[in-house]
């Protein structure tokens, strides 16, 4: 295992066998979902929370949700090294929480869905949370998306 550090946050990455594709990118063949089958029940809906308060709802498959913290930390490192980071609103919110030493938790709220079902459930979940007064960093399906991470991180 390799441990990467960003501030006081450590992220463990598994150093199992990886393969290179024709394009030269590394991949683990066991984690490669079949993108050509959206009806396959490999999709899930997840939400990120801090102090049990949700701030983002999304869909994914394979390691989409569980890899977000590692990816945000890699963007923080890029920024510290003077390279341009690739931020979206919800990743800037995650970054704000990480830098304030509050680590967001990922909760899987629905598993084993088709892509269509996961998208429908995500939309309903976002509507439900907004109706109950939560401020979400979602840009899609959010009638009043925040303009900055500060509106979400309170």
């Amino acid at each position: 295992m390799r441990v990467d550090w960003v501030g006081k946050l450590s992220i463990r990455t598994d150093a199992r066998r990886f393969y290179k594709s024709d394009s030269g990118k590394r991949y683990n063949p066991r984690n490669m979902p079949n993108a050509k089958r959206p009806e396959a029940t490999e999709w899930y809906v997840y939400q990120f929370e801090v102090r049990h308060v949700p701030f983002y709802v999304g869909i994914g498959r394979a390691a989409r949700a569980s890899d977000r913290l590692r990816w945000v930390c890699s963007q923080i490192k890029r920024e510290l090294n003077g390279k341009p980071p690739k931020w979206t609103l919800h990743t800037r919110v995650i970054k704000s929480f990480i830098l304030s030493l509050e680590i967001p938790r990922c909760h899987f709220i629905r598993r084993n869905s088709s892509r269509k079902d996961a998208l429908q459930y995500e939309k309903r979940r976002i509507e439900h949370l907004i109706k109950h007064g939560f401020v979400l960093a979602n840009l899609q399906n959010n009638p009043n998306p925040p303009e900055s991470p500060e509106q979400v991180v309170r």
Side-chain angles (χ1 to χ4, degrees):
M1 280 207 180
R2 190 180 88 220
V3 178
D4 294 329
W5 288 90
V6 174
K8 293 186 178 187
L9 175 70
S10 68
I11 297 187
R12 297 178 187 272
T13 55
D14 197 356
R16 290 188 195 139
R17 190 177 338 151
F18 285 86
Y19 299 93
K20 284 194 175 181
S21 67
D22 294 337
S23 65
K25 292 185 179 181
R26 291 168 29 140
Y27 69 95
N28 184 338
R30 286 181 284 204
N31 294 336
M32 294 298 292
N34 187 352
K36 295 178 183 175
R37 298 179 350 164
E39 71 282 354
T41 57
E42 61 190 8
W43 296 85
Y44 53 79
V45 181
Y46 64 95
Q47 73 183 26
F48 276 107
E49 301 176 352
V50 169
R51 296 181 305 253
H52 304 289
V53 176
F55 66 88
Y56 181 76
V57 178
I59 71 162
R61 59 188 173 151
R64 166 86 178 155
S66 59
D67 193 46
R68 299 312 287 166
L69 291 178
R70 185 209 55 82
W71 189 86
V72 169
C73 288
S74 74
Q75 296 306 303
I76 293 171
K77 287 179 191 176
R78 286 180 61 87
E79 202 169 51
L80 292 173
N81 291 331
K83 297 178 182 174
K86 300 171 186 165
W87 296 118
T88 60
L89 179 60
H90 82 276
T91 56
R92 288 192 338 239
V93 171
I94 292 172
K95 171 190 169 189
S96 297
F97 283 124
I98 289 173
L99 295 178
S100 68
L101 299 179
E102 292 202 53
I103 308 304
R105 302 275 181 222
C106 179
H107 293 279
F108 296 92
I109 53 178
R110 186 172 185 144
R111 293 181 188 257
N112 301 324
S113 297
S114 67
R115 185 173 193 279
K116 180 181 175 183
D117 291 342
L119 285 168
Q120 289 174 350
Y121 189 81
E122 174 196 29
K123 183 177 181 179
R124 286 195 314 265
R125 182 69 178 170
I126 290 170
E127 290 170 354
H128 173 79
L129 292 172
I130 289 172
K131 179 181 168 185
H132 285 84
F134 291 100
V135 178
L136 300 179
N138 290 75
L139 297 178
Q140 294 181 350
N141 302 317
N142 190 346
N144 299 313
E147 296 177 13
S148 70
E150 291 77 23
Q151 293 176 314
V152 180
V153 181
R154 304 188 258 159

